[in-house]
C-alpha cells in the first residue's frame, strides 16, 4: 500500500474567497534568485523589488527575476557582483552600493556608471552598505573604511565625514538614518553613534560606557527606527535594543528585553516595529502595548524561530519580504491565510505528522482532528491544532488507515488495510478490533464508513462489497456483486464512496464499475457508468450532493455533474479549467461552491460564474498531488484535505 513518502495536510478556510492564495512564498536559487546570500532588499518607486546578493543584483517584477552581473572589461556592467545596497532617489537616480564602491544604473539603457571618490590619504571607498536620501535631497552613504559620505545638490558634490576631519565616531559605518527633526544618525561597527545636527553643523557622539547604565549597551550599531513619540530605537547585534530618550538625552538599555541579536529594525503599519534578529527569527513590537510576538511560517522547510533575518521590506501592498541569511527571500502576505499546512516538521514537534502519506482525515465533534496515514498509524490534533497523540502498534495494530468516521453517538471508527474495522475506546485511549465476516470471508480492507439514520454503519470494502453493520445487535448483512447474475445488484465488490443523498437514495461509488444509486424504499440499484453512457469514466473516487439535489462525481477522468431532474450528465476536465481530471476529493462549502482536490493541484469551482480557480505549491500547498481518500468539511466552515 505504500506508494509515496510525501505527507501533507491542509486546512482551508471556506470563508475566504479565493482571489489569491495568501500563503508564504520562498524565493531561492530554484525560483530564479542569482544567489542565496542576500544582503538587502528594496522596492523602488515603480514597484520593482530589488534584491542585492553576493552574486549579482536581481530585480523582480512579481513573475520573474532579472539579474545584473559584472562583465570582465565592460565598464558599463555591474562593477562588483557582491551587491550590498540600492536606492532610487527623488530625482530618478538609482544608486547601487557594492563591496567595490558606488555606481548608478541607467534604467533606460541598463548601463552602470561608476562614482569615483577622492580624499587625502583615503584610497578605499568600498563596502557601501547603506544608501539614503535626506529631506534636503542629499544622498548619504555608509562605507566600511571611509566613514560617511554626503552627496550634496544636483551635482552630488561629496562631503566626507571621518573621525579625522569631523569627529564622527568611526570610519567603519554600518547604517545611516534621518529623524523627524532632520538629524542624521550614523551607526558604527565599533564605536557607537554620531548624531549630526544639519542646522547647527554640530556632532554629538554616543558610545558604550561600562560605568554608565544610561549609555549604549554596545558599540556595534546595526539599525535605527524612530518611534511615534520621537524617541529612537537602536538595534545592536550583540546588545539587544536600546531606546534613546530625547527629553533626557539618555539611553534605556535593553528596552525590549525579550529580543536579542537585533540585526535590522523596520517601521511597520499601525505603530508596529518589525525586528529581524541574528538567529531568533522575526519579531513584531507593538509600540502601544510593548508586546512582542514571533512570526512563524507555514512552510515546514523553514525554522523561523531560529532564522537569521538580515533584511526586511514592507511593500506597497503591505506584504513583508524577509532576507534569510544564506537561504534566500521569504515573502509573507499580510492577509489572512487560506491554507494552513501540517506535515513532516523537524522544527516543531507539535506540528509534525510524520513522513507517510495522509489517507484519511476526520474533525470530530470535540474539534479534535484524526489523521490516518499510509503506514504510520494515526496522529491526532487537539482543538489548538497541535499533535497530542500518535497511535501506533501498541494502541493500533493497523498501520494503514483508509477511513476515519464518527457516528451519531460520538464513537470513532477506523477502516484499515489488511486489518479490518476498529473502534476507539476513550477509557483506554486505544483501538479495539471488530472482526467482521461475510460469506465465510473476513473483511480486511475497508475504504469508507458512513451511518444511516437508524444507526447502522454502511461499510464499503475492497472485495466484500457493501456491508451493513449494527454494533448494538452485531447484525451484519451485505450487498455483493455476482458476475454470473444479471439481476438487481451492486455493480462491484470494491466500494470506494458512499453518500446518503435526498429522497432515501444512497450513492455508491465503485473502483471500476461506475456509481450506483440505491433506493432504500424499493431496494433497486440504478447504475451510472461508461457502458450506459451516463459517465465518461468508471473509476469513482469522490461524490457529493449540492443543495439543489444534484450530484457531483469525481472520477479518474474528470468531474461529472448529474442533473437528476433532467437526467443529464456534464463532464468537466482540464479543458474547462480544472487543474487535473484525476479527482481525489470533493467538498461543497457554505456558499455552494466546490473544492476539488486532484492529482495535480486544488481546484475551486464557482457555481455562479461556472469558472475554476486553481491552487498549487506556488500558492502555499505543500504538495500538488492529493491522495484518494476522505476529505473533511466540518465545523466552522473549514476543510481538511490530504495528500
Amino acid at each position: 500500500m505504500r506508494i509515496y513518502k510525501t505527507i501533507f495536510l491542509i486546512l482551508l478556510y471556506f470563508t475566504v474567497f479565493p482571489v489569491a492564495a495568501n500563503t508564504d512564498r520562498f524565493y531561492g536559487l530554484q525560483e530564479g534568485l542569482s544567489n542565496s546570500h542576500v544582503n538587502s532588499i528594496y522596492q523602488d518607486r515603480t514597484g520593482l523589488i530589488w534584491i542585492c546578493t553576493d552574486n549579482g543584483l536581481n530585480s523582480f517584477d512579481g513573475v520573474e527575476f532579472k539579474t545584473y552581473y559584472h562583465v570582465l572589461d565592460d565598464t558599463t556592467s555591474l562593477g562588483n557582483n557582491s551587491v550590498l545596497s540600492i536606492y532610487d532617489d527623488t530625482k530618478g537616480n538609482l544608486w547601487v552600493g557594492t563591496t567595490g564602491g558606488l555606481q548608478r544604473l541607467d534604467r533606460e539603457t541598463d548601463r552602470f556608471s561608476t562614482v569615483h571618490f577622492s580624499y587625502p590619504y583615503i584610497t578605499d571607498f568600498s563596502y557601501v552598505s547603506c544608501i539614503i536620501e535626506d529631506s534636503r535631497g542629499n544622498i548619504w552613504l555608509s562605507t566600511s573604511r571611509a566613514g560617511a559620505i554626503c552627496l550634496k545638490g544636483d551635482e552630488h558634490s561629496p562631503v566626507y565625514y571621518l573621525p579625522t576631519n569631523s569627529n564622527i565616531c568611526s570610519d567603519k559605518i554600518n547604517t545611516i538614518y534621518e529623524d523627524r527633526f532632520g538629524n542624521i544618525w550614523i551607526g558604527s561597527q565599533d564605536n557607537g553613534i554620531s548624531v549630526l545636527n544639519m542646522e547647527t553643523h554640530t556632532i554629538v557622539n554616543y558610545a558604550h560606557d561600562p560605568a554608565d547604565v544610561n549609555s549604549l549597551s554596545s558599540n556595534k550599531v546595526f539599525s535605527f527606527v524612530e518611534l511615534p513619540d520621537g524617541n529612537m530605537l537602536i538595534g545592536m547585534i550583540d546588545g539587544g535594543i536600546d531606546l534613546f530618550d530625547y527629553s533626557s538625552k539618555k539611553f534605556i538599555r535593553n528596552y525590549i528585553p525579550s529580543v536579542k541579536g537585533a540585526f535590522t529594525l523596520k517601521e511597520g503599519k499601525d505603530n508596529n516595529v518589525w525586528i529581524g534578529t541574528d538567529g531568533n527569527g522575526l519579531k513584531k513590537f507593538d509600540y502601544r502595548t510593548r508586546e512582542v510576538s514571533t512570526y512563524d511560517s507555514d512552510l515546514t522547510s523553514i525554522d523561523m524561530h531560529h532564522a537569521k533575518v538580515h533584511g526586511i521590506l514592507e511593500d506597497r501592498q503591505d506584504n513583508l519580504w524577509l532576507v534569510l541569511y544564506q537561504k534566500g527571500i521569504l515573502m509573507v502576505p499580510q492577509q489572512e491565510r487560506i491554507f494552513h499546512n501540517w506535515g513532516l516538521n523537524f522544527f516543531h514537534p507539535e506540528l509534525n505528522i510524520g513522513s507517510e502519506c495522509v489517507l484519511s482525515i476526520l474533525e470530530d465533534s470535540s474539534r479534535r482532528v484524526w489523521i490516518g496515514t499510509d503506514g504510520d498509524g494515526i496522529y491526532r490534533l487537539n482543538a489548538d491544532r497541535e499533535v497530542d497523540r500518535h497511535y501506533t502498534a501498541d494502541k493500533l495494530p493497523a498501520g494503514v488507515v483508509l477511513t476515519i468516521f464518527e457516528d451519531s453517538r460520538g464513537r470513532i471508527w477506523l477502516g484499515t488495510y489488511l486489518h479490518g474495522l476498529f473502534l476507539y475506546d476513550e477509557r483506554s485511549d486505544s483501538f479495539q478490533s471488530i472482526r467482521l465476516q461475510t460469506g465465510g470471508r473476513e473483511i480486511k480492507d475497508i475504504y469508507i464508513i458512513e451511518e444511516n439514520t437508524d444507526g447502522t454503519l454502511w461499510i464499503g470494502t475492497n472485495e466484500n462489497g457493501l456491508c451493513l453493520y449494527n454494533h448494538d445487535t452485531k447484525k451484519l448483512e451485505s450487498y455483493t456483486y455476482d458476475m454470473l447474475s444479471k439481476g438487481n445488484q451492486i455493480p462491484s465488490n470494491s466500494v470506494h464512496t458512499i453518500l446518503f443523498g435526498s429522497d432515501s437514495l444512497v450513492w455508491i461509488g465503485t473502483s471500476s464499475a461506475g456509481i450506483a444509486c440505491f433506493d432504500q424504499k424499493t431496494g433497486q440499484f440504478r447504475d451510472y457508468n461508461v457502458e450506459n453512457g451516463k459517465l465518461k469514466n468508471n473509476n469513482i473516487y469522490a461524490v457529493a450532493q449540492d443543495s439543489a439535489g444534484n450530484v457531483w462525481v469525481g472520477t479518474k477522468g474528470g468531474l461529472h455533474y448529474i442533473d437528476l431532474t433532467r437526467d443529464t450528465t456534464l463532464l468537466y476536465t482540464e479543458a474547462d479549467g480544472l487543474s487535473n481530471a484525476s479527482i481525489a476529493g470533493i467538498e461543497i462549502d457554505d456558499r455552494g461552491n466546490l473544492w476539488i482536490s486532484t492529482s495535480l493541484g486544488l481546484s475551486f469551482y464557482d457555481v455562479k460564474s461556472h469558472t475554476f480557480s486553481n491552487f498549487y505549491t506556488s500558492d502555499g500547498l505543500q504538495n500538488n498531488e492529493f491522495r484518494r481518500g476522505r476529505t473533511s468539511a466540518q465545523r466552522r466552515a473549514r476543510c481538511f484535505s490530504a495528500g
Side-chain angles (χ1 to χ4, degrees):
M1 195 71 185
R2 186 169 301 158
I3 303 175
Y4 295 94
K5 292 289 288 184
T6 303
I7 180 172
F8 74 99
L9 168 69
I10 66 167
L11 169 59
L12 167 67
Y13 284 87
F14 281 151
T15 54
V16 180
F17 190 78
V19 176
N22 303 316
T23 49
D24 295 357
R25 296 188 185 185
F26 178 76
Y27 297 95
L29 294 176
Q30 292 184 346
E31 290 72 29
L33 195 63
S34 65
N35 191 264
S36 61
H37 187 160
V38 178
N39 294 309
S40 64
I41 188 165
Y42 177 78
Q43 185 176 33
D44 69 19
R45 299 175 197 278
T46 69
L48 272 180
I49 303 293
W50 294 85
I51 300 113
C52 304
T53 81
D54 256 11
N55 188 35
L57 173 65
N58 299 255
S59 67
F60 183 59
D61 61 6
V63 178
E64 61 183 359
F65 289 92
K66 178 180 180 179
T67 304
Y68 298 87
Y69 292 107
H70 171 69
V71 178
L72 188 65
D73 297 329
D74 184 354
T75 58
T76 66
S77 70
L78 184 65
N80 191 299
N81 279 333
S82 185
V83 185
L84 303 177
S85 56
I86 188 168
Y87 185 84
D88 67 332
D89 65 25
T90 54
K91 300 179 181 67
N93 298 301
L94 188 64
W95 303 88
V96 180
T98 73
T99 56
L102 181 69
Q103 290 186 296
R104 278 187 292 185
L105 173 62
D106 186 324
R107 279 178 276 199
E108 292 185 2
T109 64
D110 266 355
R111 293 185 172 188
F112 291 85
S113 59
T114 300
V115 179
H116 298 282
F117 297 105
S118 176
Y119 192 81
Y121 308 110
I122 302 293
T123 59
D124 191 346
F125 299 92
S126 61
Y127 285 84
V128 179
S129 60
C130 179
I131 308 172
I132 71 164
E133 182 178 14
D134 68 20
S135 55
R136 300 169 181 82
N138 302 314
I139 304 300
W140 290 83
L141 319 172
S142 69
T143 76
S144 66
R145 295 173 175 85
I149 302 173
C150 178
L151 304 180
K152 287 182 171 289
D154 293 337
E155 299 299 321
H156 302 123
S157 302
V159 177
Y160 302 91
Y161 291 85
L162 295 155
T164 55
N165 71 357
S166 62
N167 197 38
I168 70 165
C169 58
S170 173
D171 55 6
K172 301 179 180 66
I173 305 303
N174 290 327
T175 186
I176 303 176
Y177 186 93
E178 183 185 26
D179 66 21
R180 68 183 65 184
F181 307 109
N183 299 313
I184 302 299
W185 292 68
I186 298 174
S188 75
Q189 173 68 20
D190 58 354
N191 200 29
I193 297 168
S194 290
V195 181
L196 283 64
N197 187 314
M198 302 307 293
E199 295 292 334
T200 63
H201 302 287
T202 57
I203 296 176
V204 178
N205 292 327
Y206 299 96
H208 172 68
D209 182 353
D212 184 0
V213 295
N214 296 125
S215 68
L216 273 174
S217 294
S218 166
N219 282 327
K220 288 188 176 183
V221 178
F222 273 54
S223 191
F224 299 107
V225 157
E226 187 177 14
L227 295 176
D229 60 9
N231 293 326
M232 189 73 71
L233 288 181
I234 300 101
M236 292 156 289
I237 190 67
D238 60 350
I241 298 175
D242 288 0
L243 178 106
F244 179 76
D245 187 305
Y246 249 115
S247 59
S248 66
K249 299 296 189 293
K250 294 180 179 180
F251 292 89
I252 301 175
R253 291 183 177 179
N254 204 22
Y255 183 72
I256 308 176
S258 60
V259 178
K260 304 297 181 185
F263 195 95
T264 184
L265 306 176
K266 200 73 172 180
E267 291 178 72
K269 306 294 183 182
D270 303 321
N271 293 319
N272 293 318
V273 176
W274 295 104
I275 306 168
T277 72
D278 191 47
N280 294 299
L282 176 69
K283 311 290 184 180
K284 183 170 74 172
F285 173 68
D286 188 313
Y287 164 72
R288 293 191 183 95
T289 65
R290 292 191 61 182
E291 293 180 349
V292 177
S293 56
T294 301
Y295 178 75
D296 199 3
S297 176
D298 257 2
L299 301 181
T300 58
S301 59
I302 297 175
D303 180 11
M304 281 303 297
H305 282 245
H306 298 94
K308 295 183 177 183
V309 181
H310 285 189
I312 303 170
L313 165 69
E314 192 166 12
D315 69 20
R316 295 174 187 175
Q317 287 76 41
D318 298 337
N319 303 308
L320 279 183
W321 299 75
L322 308 178
V323 173
L324 304 183
Y325 179 68
Q326 297 284 24
K327 295 183 182 297
I329 297 292
L330 181 69
M331 193 276 281
V332 181
Q334 290 302 293
Q335 300 176 19
E336 185 177 1
R337 294 172 179 168
I338 292 178
F339 303 115
H340 291 261
N341 300 303
W342 286 263
L344 181 63
N345 195 324
F346 296 113
F347 306 124
H348 301 288
E350 72 278 7
L351 303 176
N352 182 25
I353 56 173
S355 60
E356 302 294 348
C357 281
V358 173
L359 299 179
S360 51
I361 309 166
L362 169 75
E363 183 185 15
D364 68 20
S365 53
S366 300
R367 296 192 66 237
R368 300 176 298 186
V369 179
W370 304 76
I371 304 164
T373 71
D374 185 7
D376 197 21
I378 284 184
Y379 290 84
R380 191 180 73 184
L381 311 182
N382 59 26
D384 295 325
R385 302 297 176 251
E386 295 179 348
V387 176
D388 69 354
R389 293 287 192 281
H390 181 200
Y391 299 96
T392 52
D394 58 332
K395 298 280 187 176
L396 175 63
V400 181
V401 181
L402 301 176
T403 187
I404 311 173
F405 178 75
E406 182 182 24
D407 66 20
S408 57
R409 294 162 62 176
R411 297 177 297 191
I412 305 297
W413 298 86
L414 308 182
T416 71
Y417 174 67
L418 295 180
H419 292 82
L421 184 68
F422 286 85
L423 174 63
Y424 177 65
D425 180 48
E426 194 84 42
R427 290 172 298 180
S428 65
D429 192 27
S430 62
F431 292 87
Q432 299 176 352
S433 175
I434 307 296
R435 302 191 65 178
L436 302 178
Q437 287 189 344
T438 179
R441 299 174 61 192
E442 185 175 355
I443 299 173
K444 292 185 177 181
D445 304 335
I446 296 176
Y447 282 134
I448 185 73
I449 304 171
E450 294 290 345
E451 183 182 19
N452 205 347
T453 53
D454 62 0
T456 300
L457 295 181
W458 289 49
I459 301 171
T461 73
N462 183 30
E463 297 177 340
N464 306 101
L466 175 66
C467 298
L468 280 59
Y469 173 65
N470 188 305
H471 187 58
D472 294 332
T473 64
K474 303 299 187 288
K475 180 182 178 181
L476 178 70
E477 57 180 305
S478 62
Y479 294 92
T480 57
Y481 169 73
D482 183 354
M483 63 181 301
L484 300 178
S485 174
K486 295 184 179 180
N488 179 53
Q489 62 178 339
I490 194 169
S492 170
N493 284 326
S494 181
V495 176
H496 280 174
T497 65
I498 301 171
L499 171 70
F500 287 97
S502 56
D503 301 324
S504 299
L505 300 178
V506 185
W507 296 84
I508 303 162
T510 70
S511 63
S512 59
I515 191 167
C517 180
F518 178 68
D519 191 326
Q520 296 186 76
K521 295 177 182 178
T522 65
Q524 295 295 307
F525 289 92
R526 183 182 182 187
D527 294 340
Y528 292 77
N529 52 45
V530 173
E531 288 71 24
N532 62 24
K534 293 184 180 295
L535 294 180
K536 297 297 184 182
N537 188 280
N538 281 338
N539 307 116
I540 311 300
Y541 287 166
V543 60
Q545 188 168 36
D546 61 29
S547 58
N550 300 306
V551 176
W552 298 83
V553 181
T555 74
K556 202 170 183 179
L559 176 67
H560 293 76
Y561 168 73
I562 301 176
D563 188 325
L564 296 181
T565 303
R566 300 176 182 176
D567 194 27
T568 58
T569 303
L570 292 176
L571 175 67
Y572 297 92
T573 66
E574 294 95 339
D576 303 290
L578 191 66
S579 64
N580 188 263
S582 182
I583 310 298
I586 304 171
E587 293 296 343
I588 300 178
D589 66 22
D590 54 0
R591 297 173 182 171
N593 299 315
L594 274 66
W595 294 87
I596 305 133
S597 52
T598 78
S599 292
L600 188 63
L602 178 69
S603 290
F604 168 84
Y605 180 70
D606 189 313
V607 293
K608 290 184 179 179
S609 64
H610 303 290
T611 58
F612 288 93
S613 300
N614 299 320
F615 302 95
Y616 305 96
T617 52
S618 58
D619 299 301
L621 300 180
Q622 291 194 53
N623 195 318
N624 283 329
E625 183 178 11
F626 287 83
R627 307 294 299 143
R628 175 180 60 81
R630 189 180 185 88
T631 57
S632 179
Q634 299 286 340
R635 300 153 186 83
R636 301 169 185 86
R638 291 189 300 270
C639 173
F640 293 89
S641 191

